[in-house]
Structure formats: C-alpha cells, structure tokens
Amino acid sequence: MVATQLAGQALGLYDLPGNSRVHLVSLSENEIYKVEAPYGRGWALRLQRPGYQSYTSLASEMAWLVALRQDGVVATPVPVAGLNGEWVQVARLSDGEPRNVVLFEWENGGHPRIDVDLRQCFQNLGAITAQMHVHSRTWRRPDGFDRFTWDFETALGEAPRWGRCRDALGMNAGRLDLFARTAELIRDRLASYGRGPGRFGLAHCDLRLDNLLVDKGEIKVIDFDDCGFSWYMYDAATALSFYEHLPQVPGLIESWLEGYRTVSAVSRAEEEEIPTFMMLRRLLLVAWVGSHAETALARSLGVSYTDQTVALCLAYIKRFG
C-alpha cells in the first residue's frame, strides 16, 4: 500500500493528466506500475528498489537506451523527463526513504511464449542482439557513465548481486557440493576465455522473454535495468532465462546464432562457451529465486527450479570437467 501511495505521489513529478490512475503490474527487482489516463494513453512507471541502482547508473541506462533507439538499432522504451527536465526523479513519502523513479511511454506488444515455435523469433533476436553489441563497441558513452559489471564474482563469487546458491530453495549437502563444483568449472573456463574487447562490453544482460515485446512482427527490447558490462555471449544465455532445462533450448540457440551471424561473426571459441554462460545464468537465477521468495515469479518456480538444475550441472561437468 505504501509503495502504491509513493507511485501515485510520483506522478506529480511529471506533466501527466491530473486524473491518471496507477496500478501495480510487476514486482521483481523493482515495482512496475501502469499509469493510465482517461483518454487511453498510458505510461510505465518504475519505482526502483532502494539501493539497487544509483541516480547516476539510472541516468546511464536512459542514455544508452535512448541512443539505441535514436540510432535505429532497436525499438526501446521512450523515457519521459520530469518537470525539472531530468529522466530520473526522486520521490518519497514524508516518513519514508527516497526512491528513484523513471517513467516511460507505454509500449504495445505481447511477450513471446516458450510453448510456441520461437525459432524465427530467436533468429530475429540474434540479429538485434548483434546490432546492439556493434553499437556498444562504437558508441561514445557520456562522461560519468556507470553501470553494473556482470562477471563471475558478481554472479556466483564472493560479491553476488542476486544472492547465494547455498541459500537456494531445496538445497542440501549433495546439491551444495554439485553446484560448487559446477561454479568452479565455470570460473576456470571464464578465466581462460578472458575479457578481450571483442568479447566483453556493454550489453543488455537480461534479454529474457518477459523483456521482449512483439508488436506487428517487430521485436522491441525493454527493461534495461540490468544492462551493464559482461560477456557479449551472455546475452544468448539470458534469452532463455528460466527455461534452460527445456529440450528446445539447443535449437533456439542455433537460431539465435544464425541471426547473430547475419550481422556479426561468432568465433568457434565464443560459440563453444555459450553452455558456460547458460550455466552461469542458471545458477545465478537459482540464487535469485531463493533471495526473491516474495515475488510471484519466484513462487511459481519454487523448489522445482533447483531440482531441474541438478541434471544441467551433471551434464555440464560431464562435458567440460
């Protein structure tokens, strides 16, 4: 209730119709509200989780997604500046801590569904992702640009951003050992793979299906809240977040690579490491589910997501160990 009150108060920071209504549509790292005006126009209001992003990192996010759209790379959300002309606003109730807020024009479209044939969608997504990576390599970032780094340490190491695997749902001594051995193998392979400028840079880092919209055949990329510096091929893994264990995954990766290669080359070493990025992402999400039990998504996945990860770890160790 308090968060909804704060979201309603935040509307006053923008030039919006006074009788606009706001309601919660998503709760994950942040709270996402839909703002609706009586005549049908809408906006998406993102109320940031305290401490997750700084004012500067949010401004940096806005700068990249605006540049991607303006440079014709991909359709991204359109941020709306507040009354003071800034994209990032700060709202607070009289007795609460300040919360960073960003507002976007509402984007039409539907999320791709995993239970339909997504091969063409993933081929298109691969091409779009490659275009984003090309842009990342050539775009001149504004002074003070500041975003997360997604690497082994921030995912599975001593400074995990989304929690620790040891605290995952359904964890026991045997799984702790298996997941730890998998993580060690991931760490060693990524150290060998390296962070050369052609492999590591600014990327979306969360291209899961819920962060894509398909509108009249066009793929739009939304929610850049986790964009940051990581391996470019990590974006292939994030596209299959929460579905890594499904049998259609290898075929979808092939489609993604086919699309990617229409824009940019993928070396044998890069392609061969995609399974490592898939496991990195999977273990990161196992930890996320355990540390975000209050969210509907984590509740829907539950212990079964950890259960299904066991076979993936065994197969990964058999292949690369």
Side-chain angles (χ1 to χ4, degrees):
M1 178 64 71
V2 171
T4 302
Q5 291 175 351
L6 185 57
Q9 184 193 73
L11 299 186
L13 300 170
Y14 299 90
D15 183 18
L16 298 176
N19 52 356
S20 296
R21 296 176 300 166
V22 59
H23 64 272
L24 182 68
V25 295
S26 175
L27 173 63
S28 183
E29 291 302 325
N30 309 300
E31 298 145 29
I32 310 298
Y33 295 85
K34 184 171 185 180
V35 182
E36 295 179 293
Y39 51 82
R41 191 176 179 191
W43 300 266
L45 179 77
R46 196 171 81 199
L47 190 62
Q48 297 291 139
R49 189 181 81 183
Y52 190 64
Q53 297 278 13
S54 69
Y55 186 99
T56 301
S57 64
L58 282 170
S60 300
E61 173 195 347
M62 299 302 111
W64 191 39
L65 66 86
V66 166
L68 286 168
R69 190 178 189 108
Q70 289 180 344
D71 294 343
V73 177
V74 62
T76 61
V78 178
V80 178
L83 295 173
N84 63 358
E86 300 294 331
W87 283 321
V88 183
Q89 299 294 307
V90 181
R92 70 179 300 167
L93 295 176
S94 59
D95 57 348
E97 63 182 320
R99 301 280 294 275
N100 290 326
V101 179
V102 287
L103 183 74
F104 303 94
E105 294 183 9
W106 188 261
E107 291 288 343
N108 293 321
H111 302 299
R113 296 191 355 248
I114 195 65
D115 59 347
V116 301
D117 186 348
L118 289 177
R119 286 174 294 181
Q120 185 61 56
C121 177
F122 266 68
Q123 186 174 338
N124 295 342
L125 177 62
I128 288 170
T129 307
Q131 290 163 0
M132 293 172 66
H133 293 168
V134 170
H135 186 273
S136 165
R137 293 184 183 103
T138 58
W139 179 54
R140 183 174 179 178
R141 297 191 289 269
D143 292 342
F145 188 90
D146 179 39
R147 292 300 302 173
F148 287 156
T149 294
W150 292 101
D151 57 12
F152 181 84
E153 284 302 315
T154 57
L156 304 179
E158 294 305 312
R161 198 174 308 282
W162 284 350
R164 300 178 184 276
C165 274
R166 70 182 67 143
D167 301 320
L169 303 179
M171 193 57 67
N172 57 42
R175 291 178 177 182
L176 279 172
D177 177 69
L178 175 63
F179 288 12
R181 286 190 289 124
T182 305
E184 289 172 3
L185 183 54
I186 292 170
R187 180 196 62 204
D188 293 345
R189 290 191 66 86
L190 290 178
S192 297
Y193 183 74
R195 296 194 188 189
R199 295 182 176 181
F200 196 99
L202 180 62
H204 186 280
C205 300
D206 195 19
L207 286 171
R208 60 193 178 99
L209 298 187
D210 278 356
N211 288 339
L212 307 176
L213 291 174
V214 180
D215 183 23
K216 300 176 182 177
E218 178 187 27
I219 294 180
K220 303 175 180 180
V221 177
I222 62 174
D223 196 352
F224 281 69
D225 188 47
D226 289 314
C227 75
F229 298 95
S230 189
W231 294 276
Y232 291 121
M233 289 298 107
Y234 179 62
D235 270 346
T238 67
L240 288 157
S241 296
F242 305 112
Y243 303 118
E244 301 90 349
H245 56 284
L246 295 183
Q248 62 265 48
V249 164
L252 292 177
I253 289 295
E254 286 300 319
S255 295
W256 187 92
L257 283 168
E258 184 178 346
Y260 196 100
R261 286 189 168 109
T262 64
V263 176
S264 186
V266 178
S267 69
R268 180 183 293 274
E270 289 171 315
E271 181 176 352
E272 289 179 347
E273 221 54 66
I274 289 177
T276 294
F277 295 119
M278 296 286 292
M279 277 312 315
L280 176 73
R281 179 68 168 184
R282 180 72 180 209
L283 293 184
L284 173 64
L285 292 177
V286 166
W288 183 90
V289 171
S291 63
H292 290 70
E294 76 283 359
T295 66
L297 177 57
R299 290 195 300 269
S300 70
L301 293 165
V303 176
S304 64
Y305 192 66
T306 306
D307 296 342
Q308 294 156 347
T309 305
V310 171
L312 293 177
C313 290
L314 291 170
Y316 181 75
I317 291 173
K318 182 178 180 180
R319 180 174 179 180
F320 295 110

